Amino acid sequence: MGINIQKLRLLTMNVHKGFSIFNRRFVLHELRDAIRKVSADLVFLQEIIGENHRHREKHETWPEKSQYEFLADEIWKDFSYGRNAVYSAGHHGNALLSKFPIIQSYQHNLSLYSLEQRGLLHCEITIPGIHHSLHCICVHLNLVAFHRRQQYEMIKRYIDVRIPHGAPLLIAGDFNDWSDQAEKLLARPLNLFECHRLLHGHLAKTFPSFRPILRLDRIYGRGFEVIHCRTSSEQPWSKLSDHLPLIAELEFHVVVD
């Protein structure tokens, strides 16, 4: 009997619909190059556009397919998209790109009122060497603390019903958590840890990208060890969105005969 160690690298980022901060430039092509260089196995994306015919008409380099398909290209064979916000020009939401098979995918509505249409994208992923499926949840939560408290309860209820208690779990995304409520209201009740806090003793500063002071983006999880977790504020990341990415390397230890 021995231990099989499976390493996994992931990236989470609010991509600001493919535009730089203050919407000055369309940067989706540069963003694709930067994400590829990370060599992540899983990519959690928020504010990713599924369709927008107005932007398509305005920008010559707008891709023919959806933004998440354009970013996935031939690197991430499996991907899933959860539509959050729908408007006359199109829609945007969360997406997950995966180098491993996505065997199930679910979209769960977290919207509390019409001005902030939010959702939860849940993917069940098969990874070689891991007997249980890895459950990945990509989220983008509301700006108002009272609404986020309600959304934490919605996420907890969803996980209690849809995800086995012993299954490895990742929840990553833009929590918009200005006052660090997620630790008490979401992480502790679900026995989750935040990857950057576990290694460094504090949450990562990710917003605004040109001078990050707010700790809005998180990676919570259970069932694995965290080897590295960092944000990246150097070029080109600070010019590719209003958020910086959060990047982590994880290890899963599996007992084998």
Side-chain angles (χ1 to χ4, degrees):
M1 184 174 293
I3 301 293
N4 179 32
I5 298 176
Q6 175 68 54
K7 291 188 177 181
L8 193 70
R9 177 172 290 187
L10 66 93
L11 177 149
T12 182
M13 185 178 183
N14 182 323
V15 297
H16 199 229
K17 303 173 188 172
F19 291 88
S20 64
I21 194 166
F22 306 125
N23 295 319
R24 288 173 176 165
R25 295 189 304 121
F26 179 57
V27 295
L28 193 69
H29 295 259
E30 298 167 54
L31 182 63
R32 181 173 69 172
D33 292 341
I35 291 176
R36 281 180 171 182
K37 290 178 181 177
V38 174
S39 298
D41 300 294
L42 300 173
V43 180
F44 296 72
L45 302 170
Q46 304 89 52
E47 282 196 25
I48 188 82
I49 289 179
E51 176 58 48
N52 192 304
H53 62 81
R54 291 177 185 166
H55 286 322
R56 183 183 301 278
E57 294 169 359
K58 183 177 179 180
H59 300 279
E60 292 184 1
T61 58
W62 195 266
E64 290 299 317
K65 45 194 172 184
S66 67
Q67 287 189 346
Y68 57 90
E69 290 176 286
F70 176 78
L71 293 179
D73 197 28
E74 297 180 355
I75 307 298
W76 294 273
K77 301 295 185 181
D78 275 29
F79 49 81
S80 183
Y81 170 68
R83 184 183 304 185
N84 289 346
V86 180
Y87 31 83
S88 59
H91 50 85
H92 72 264
N94 301 323
L96 180 68
L97 316 181
S98 175
K99 291 183 179 178
F100 303 106
I102 297 176
I103 57 176
Q104 296 283 350
S105 182
Y106 313 92
Q107 169 71 5
H108 184 66
N109 187 18
L110 297 177
S111 300
L112 295 170
Y113 74 119
S114 60
L115 293 181
E116 286 192 276
Q117 299 176 65
R118 306 296 198 197
L120 168 162
L121 175 65
H122 169 205
C123 295
E124 188 176 348
I125 296 174
T126 298
I127 298 177
I130 300 178
H131 299 308
H132 299 286
S133 296
L134 172 63
H135 292 265
C136 296
I137 292 178
C138 185
V139 298
H140 187 191
L141 302 186
N142 277 27
L143 292 168
V144 178
F146 174 70
H147 294 152
R148 288 196 305 276
R149 288 196 292 270
Q150 296 178 68
Q151 288 171 329
Y152 295 144
E153 290 300 319
M154 296 165 73
I155 294 170
K156 285 191 295 183
R157 288 197 298 268
Y158 179 90
I159 290 173
D160 284 341
V161 172
R162 301 297 296 269
I163 298 176
H165 292 296
L169 170 64
L170 282 165
I171 308 177
D174 178 2
F175 282 74
N176 274 321
D177 185 14
W178 317 88
S179 53
D180 196 12
Q181 295 178 326
E183 176 71 19
K184 176 182 177 181
L185 300 178
L186 182 68
R188 292 178 192 169
L190 293 173
N191 293 316
L192 306 177
F193 53 80
E194 202 286 322
C195 293
H196 194 276
R197 195 199 313 256
L198 183 70
L199 288 185
H200 306 289
H202 57 83
L203 299 169
K205 295 179 181 179
T206 57
F207 183 89
S209 56
F210 66 92
R211 188 177 296 172
I213 56 174
L214 297 177
R215 310 173 195 269
L216 304 185
D217 299 270
R218 316 279 172 81
I219 301 171
Y220 291 100
R222 69 185 185 206
F224 54 84
E225 292 188 17
V226 184
I227 307 304
H228 301 291
C229 189
R230 63 178 178 86
T231 188
S232 187
S233 58
E234 68 271 11
Q235 299 292 346
W237 291 110
S238 61
K239 297 184 180 296
L240 297 182
S241 174
D242 55 351
H243 286 248
L244 295 175
L246 191 57
I247 302 163
E249 185 171 333
L250 317 175
E251 277 189 358
F252 294 83
H253 294 190
V254 181
V255 177
V256 295
D257 296 330

